[in-house]
Amino acid sequence: MKPIQLPHGSVAIVDDEDFDRVNSYRWYMTGNGYARTNKNVGGLQRGMAMHRFILEIQTGDERIVDHIDGNRLNNQKANLRICTHAQNLRNQKRRRDNTTGYKGVTFDVKAGRFHAQIRNNGARKHLGHFDTAEEAHAAYCAAALELHGEFANFGDQT
């Protein structure tokens, strides 16, 4: 693993075998946290994300690359996988505006209990009401493993 220095002190990491190829470009970090460069494609300057560059996915190719650990600057091949848009969404972290501290859990004021739910293929699945946020989160985690498999993300970090 080798670091690629980005402006303003940010660092992306890549595999040793990709370092020379990646480091031959000037990279910057986008507002949403990805490493990006401008690359000459057919005589035109095109933006290229580092993770797509490493997996050699060309501009115009609509395939999606997922960062398994959620770290957009960890561009080691073992952390990257091709996926569908739905799979990529399943691997999202807990939302920053979450007030319970647990992904898939909200507090139902009317019921006075914690409510667990999960989305799968665009449909919301209610998992039940629970006395504690921890119990509701356990139900979410079990459903995420069952429905999302390797793309299950329990939202343990923001």
Side-chain angles (χ1 to χ4, degrees):
M1 157 178 85
K2 289 193 175 177
I4 301 288
Q5 295 298 319
L6 306 175
H8 310 294
S10 297
V11 177
I13 55 173
V14 299
D15 292 316
D16 293 351
E17 67 264 18
D18 295 318
F19 179 79
D20 290 336
R21 187 170 68 97
V22 172
N23 202 41
S24 67
Y25 290 89
R26 284 184 68 132
W27 298 90
Y28 61 93
M29 191 165 81
T30 64
N32 58 1
Y34 291 99
R36 200 165 174 80
T37 192
N38 293 312
K39 187 176 177 204
N40 188 326
V41 178
L44 299 171
Q45 287 292 316
R46 301 277 186 207
M48 171 70 75
M50 186 182 288
H51 55 280
R52 295 177 66 82
F53 178 78
I54 287 170
L55 294 184
E56 299 181 6
I57 297 177
Q58 303 301 315
T59 301
D61 186 330
E62 295 186 12
R63 290 182 292 172
I64 294 173
V65 178
D66 180 52
H67 289 82
I68 296 168
D69 69 1
N71 178 351
R72 295 172 178 177
L73 295 179
N74 180 357
N75 291 303
Q76 298 173 92
K77 286 182 183 141
N79 189 48
L80 304 175
R81 60 185 167 193
I82 304 295
C83 65
T84 66
H85 180 66
Q87 289 168 325
N88 189 253
L89 290 173
R90 292 172 186 149
N91 191 30
Q92 286 183 342
K93 300 174 188 175
R94 174 175 40 101
R95 290 174 45 123
R96 289 177 198 220
D97 63 353
N98 179 301
T99 58
T100 66
Y102 295 99
K103 185 175 180 183
V105 178
T106 57
F107 186 74
D108 184 339
V109 176
K110 282 185 178 179
R113 299 178 78 201
F114 292 91
H115 179 241
Q117 65 182 358
I118 192 167
R119 284 191 170 275
N120 191 47
N121 298 325
R124 184 178 302 156
K125 180 176 181 178
H126 299 279
L127 303 173
H129 284 86
F130 301 87
D131 291 329
T132 68
E134 292 80 10
E135 290 172 322
H137 185 62
Y140 172 84
C141 291
L145 274 175
E146 179 185 331
L147 298 170
H148 300 165
E150 70 177 287
F151 290 90
N153 185 317
F154 308 120
D156 296 333
Q157 66 280 36
T158 54

